[in-house]
Amino acid sequence: ETGVTQTPRHLVMGMTNKKSLKCEQHLGHNAMYWYKQSAKKPLELMFVYSLEERVENNSVPSRFSPECPNSSHLFLHLHTLQPEDSALYLCASSQETGPIGAFFGQGTRLTVV
Amino acid sequence: DQQVKQNSPSLSVQEGRISILNCDYTNSMFDYFLWYKKYPAEGPTFLISISSIKDKNEDGRFTVFLNKSAKHLSLHIVPSQPGDSAVYFCAASATNFGNEKLTFGTGTRLTIIP
C-alpha cells in the first residue's frame, strides 16, 4: 500500500469516448502530479498541482484535462484521444517542503482503440 | 534532449554479487537525485536518494554514489537478491522555492540470476 491509489487500473477506450482517471492520496501531501510512461521513454511529467492549483502544464494536448478538487484527489479527464496516447498514466504526490521524493500510485494502463 | 540518461537498458547479475546501475545527467542545476524501483504492473517506489552536498548515501544493501564533476551517479546493491529484479529509474531535481520536478531516466531492467 503506497498511500496513492489510482482507478481504474486498466482502461480501454475508443477515440470518441470520454473517460476520467482518478487518483487519491492519503499521505497528507500538498502536491500532486500526473506522469505518462510510454514504452522505452522516460517518465514524462504532464501536470503539477500545488495546494490544489495547477502550477505546471508540460505542453500537454488539450484532450487531457486535469482537475484537482482538493489536496487528496486528482483527476485526469480524457476526450478524443489518439492511439498514440496509449500508455501507463501514473499519479504521484509529495510534500512541497521537507524530504524530496514523490510517492507513486500503481498507474492506469490506458489503451486507445 | 534527455537530461537524465541511463545508458544500459538491461543488466543481469548473479545472486550474491554486486549490482551496479549507472546514471548520467547533463543539467548542472540538478542538486537532488533519487532512485526508484518498479515492478511490473506497479508504480515506481522510492528507494534511496542523495543530495549534491554528499557523495555517498548508504541504506542497508543499497548505496548511491554521486560524482558531481562527472555528472554521474550510481546505485550499488550488494549482495544482490532475486527480489531485486525490477526496473530501476534514476531521477533528478533542481530544488527551488516551490515544487520539485523530477526528471527521470529511461530505466534499467535488472535481472538477478539465482
Side-chain angles (χ1 to χ4, degrees):
Chain A
E1 175 56 55
T2 65
V4 180
T5 305
Q6 287 186 245
T7 53
R9 294 291 308 277
H10 301 272
L11 177 63
V12 179
M13 60 186 286
M15 290 190 282
T16 57
N17 291 158
K18 287 185 182 181
K19 296 284 184 185
S20 296
L21 310 185
K22 181 181 176 182
C23 176
E24 275 186 80
Q25 60 97 0
H26 309 286
L27 301 167
H29 290 162
N30 56 15
M32 296 187 77
Y33 312 79
W34 281 115
Y35 282 86
K36 175 183 178 183
Q37 186 182 21
S38 304
K40 298 182 182 177
K41 285 187 178 181
L43 278 165
E44 300 171 55
L45 180 65
M46 299 174 72
F47 300 104
V48 181
Y49 274 82
S50 172
L51 299 171
E52 301 150 42
E53 285 192 25
R54 192 190 312 179
V55 296
E56 186 143 353
N57 175 347
N58 269 7
S59 304
V60 180
S62 59
R63 56 187 185 268
F64 295 91
S65 174
E67 178 191 0
C68 187
N70 56 60
S71 60
S72 299
H73 293 86
L74 185 65
F75 295 91
L76 187 62
H77 304 300
L78 316 170
H79 63 99
T80 59
L81 294 193
Q82 305 297 312
E84 59 265 29
D85 297 321
S86 298
L88 180 69
Y89 289 85
L90 288 159
C91 171
S93 70
S94 72
Q95 194 63 26
E96 275 200 304
T97 58
I100 296 172
F103 288 76
F104 285 83
Q106 293 177 300
T108 295
R109 174 69 62 186
L110 174 68
T111 304
V112 182
V113 296
Chain B
D1 175 38
Q2 237 174 287
Q3 297 186 63
V4 177
K5 298 177 186 177
Q6 293 177 257
N7 292 318
S8 298
S10 62
L11 175 68
S12 293
V13 174
Q14 205 77 33
E15 181 179 359
R17 299 286 186 99
I18 183 170
S19 296
I20 300 176
L21 298 106
N22 293 304
C23 178
D24 297 290
Y25 62 96
T26 58
N27 189 338
S28 57
M29 296 296 292
F30 288 145
D31 57 5
Y32 203 88
F33 304 90
L34 307 91
W35 284 94
Y36 282 82
K37 178 179 179 180
K38 185 181 183 300
Y39 292 118
E42 292 185 16
T45 54
F46 171 72
L47 193 58
I48 192 169
S49 64
I50 189 167
S51 163
S52 60
I53 61 173
K54 293 186 172 182
D55 54 19
K56 177 183 174 182
N57 189 26
E58 191 172 351
D59 183 3
R61 296 186 298 114
F62 302 91
T63 303
V64 57
F65 294 93
L66 175 63
N67 182 334
K68 287 190 293 291
S69 60
K71 293 191 177 67
H72 176 83
L73 63 153
S74 60
L75 174 68
H76 293 211
I77 306 173
V78 57
S80 300
Q81 298 175 354
D84 296 329
S85 294
V87 176
Y88 289 79
F89 291 97
C90 170
S93 73
T95 53
N96 51 29
F97 302 110
N99 292 304
E100 85 280 3
K101 186 175 82 172
L102 296 176
T103 301
F104 284 84
T106 49
T108 297
R109 181 176 301 280
L110 175 65
T111 302
I112 305 302
I113 304 163

